[in-house]
């Protein structure tokens, strides 16, 4: 087992442990919502756009704060048991694989669960994946608007027997260029090498 795989397994294990600790039933696991069909359908103009959010340090930010550098944009939530941790692990490893060039890229993790993902919650979470990973949260309306701009679907899935809930969400990673425009996207399960190679085309 590679070091990366081990790390993914360890982090997923921690997340599942955390879920168990707060009383989420094993049946209440994240389901993935369908991803938009093809790159051709997802034209440049259709993905991305202006947003107003709060980062994990509590600073208010907009899309303009990230212009001039490519960004990797991933939507998820910190209580996610498996999909988000493994997606973030791949993002971190792909940036590290690019070496010094990778420092030109800003990875963004936008929560679809602003109710629980406060800036403080995000701050504790993002640092376990990559030192430059930026966690973003906002009001319910702000999250709805940015998810719509990226054509990301999400929905609360409540447990009938308790107050626990999880979030269903689409889990594409979007690569946006230096001008904030859509370059490409990655599906869940994309390898570190494949992601790094695509990012390198923009650098
Ligand atoms: Ni997730």
């Amino acid at each position: 087992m590679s070091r990366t795989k081990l790390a993914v397994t360890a982090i997923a294990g921690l997340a599942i442990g955390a879920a168990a600790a707060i009383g989420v039933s094993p049946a209440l696991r994240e389901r993935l919502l369908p991803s938009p069909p093809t790159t051709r359908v997802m034209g440049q103009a259709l993905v991305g756009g202006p947003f107003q959010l709060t980062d994990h340090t509590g600073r208010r930010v907009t899309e303009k704060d990230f212009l001039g550098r490519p960004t990797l944009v991933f939507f998820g939530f910190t209580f996610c048991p498996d999909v988000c941790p493994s997606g973030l692990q791949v993002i971190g490893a792909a940036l590290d694989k690019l070496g010094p060039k990778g420092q030109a890229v800003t990875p963004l993790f936008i929560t679809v669960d602003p109710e629980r993902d406060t800036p403080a919650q995000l701050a504790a979470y993002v640092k376990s994946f990559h030192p430059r990973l930026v966690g973003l949260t906002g009001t319910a309306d702000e999250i709805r608007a940015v998810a719509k701009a990226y054509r990301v679907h999400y929905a609360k899935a409540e447990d009938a027997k308790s107050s626990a809930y999880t979030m269903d969400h689409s889990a594409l990673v979007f690569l946006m260029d230096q001008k904030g425009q859509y370059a490409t996207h990655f599906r869940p399960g994309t390898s570190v090498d494949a992601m790094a190679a695509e990012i390198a085309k923009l650098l």
Side-chain angles (χ1 to χ4, degrees), residues 1 12 15 17 30 35 39 49 55 61 67 72 76 81 90 92-93 95 103 107-108 110 130 147 150 171 180 196 201:
M1 190 182 271
E30 179 177 51
S35 301
T39 309
D55 77 9
V61 295
L67 290 179
L72 283 169
V90 171
L95 293 180
Q103 289 177 19
L108 305 179
I110 304 178
H130 197 273
Y150 280 83
K201 292 179 188 172

Side-chain angles (χ1 to χ4, degrees), residues 30 76-77 80 83-84 169:
E30 179 177 51
F77 64 114
C80 176
V83 176
C84 292
H169 66 98

Side-chain angles (χ1 to χ4, degrees), residues 62 65 94 131-132 139 142-143 161 167 176 192 197:
T62 74
D65 291 295
R132 289 187 301 98
T139 65
E142 286 167 346
I143 296 299
K161 293 179 196 143
M167 301 297 295
M176 311 299 283
V192 171

Side-chain angles (χ1 to χ4, degrees), residues 94-184:
L95 293 180
D96 288 345
K97 190 181 171 69
L98 289 164
K101 282 201 314 186
Q103 289 177 19
V105 182
T106 305
L108 305 179
F109 179 64
I110 304 178
T111 185
V112 294
D113 184 15
E115 194 178 320
R116 289 183 295 195
D117 286 341
T118 59
Q121 170 74 13
L122 284 168
Y125 187 75
V126 292
K127 70 178 180 196
S128 48
F129 292 99
H130 197 273
R132 289 187 301 98
L133 180 61
V134 177
L136 295 171
T137 187
T139 65
D141 283 345
E142 286 167 346
I143 296 299
R144 208 172 294 124
V146 68
K148 189 178 176 197
Y150 280 83
R151 299 160 62 89
V152 162
H153 303 284
Y154 65 97
K156 198 170 183 173
E158 298 193 65
D159 184 348
K161 293 179 196 143
S162 76
S163 59
Y165 68 92
T166 186
M167 301 297 295
D168 297 338
H169 66 98
S170 40
L172 298 180
V173 178
F174 300 95
L175 176 61
M176 311 299 283
D177 70 14
Q178 288 86 339
K179 292 177 179 168
Q181 294 189 321
Y182 170 86
T184 190

Side-chain angles (χ1 to χ4, degrees), residues 33-109:
L33 292 174
S35 301
T38 66
T39 309
R40 264 166 305 177
V41 175
M42 293 174 47
Q44 202 173 54
L46 297 177
V47 175
F51 60 74
Q52 293 190 348
L53 295 167
T54 301
D55 77 9
H56 67 263
T57 70
R59 188 174 68 115
R60 292 290 290 165
V61 295
T62 74
E63 76 290 349
K64 294 192 179 73
D65 291 295
F66 303 102
L67 290 179
R69 302 155 67 86
T71 51
L72 283 169
V73 182
F74 185 56
F75 289 77
F77 64 114
T78 66
F79 287 81
C80 176
D82 40 31
V83 176
C84 292
S86 42
L88 290 169
Q89 186 72 28
V90 171
I91 287 172
L95 293 180
D96 288 345
K97 190 181 171 69
L98 289 164
K101 282 201 314 186
Q103 289 177 19
V105 182
T106 305
L108 305 179
F109 179 64

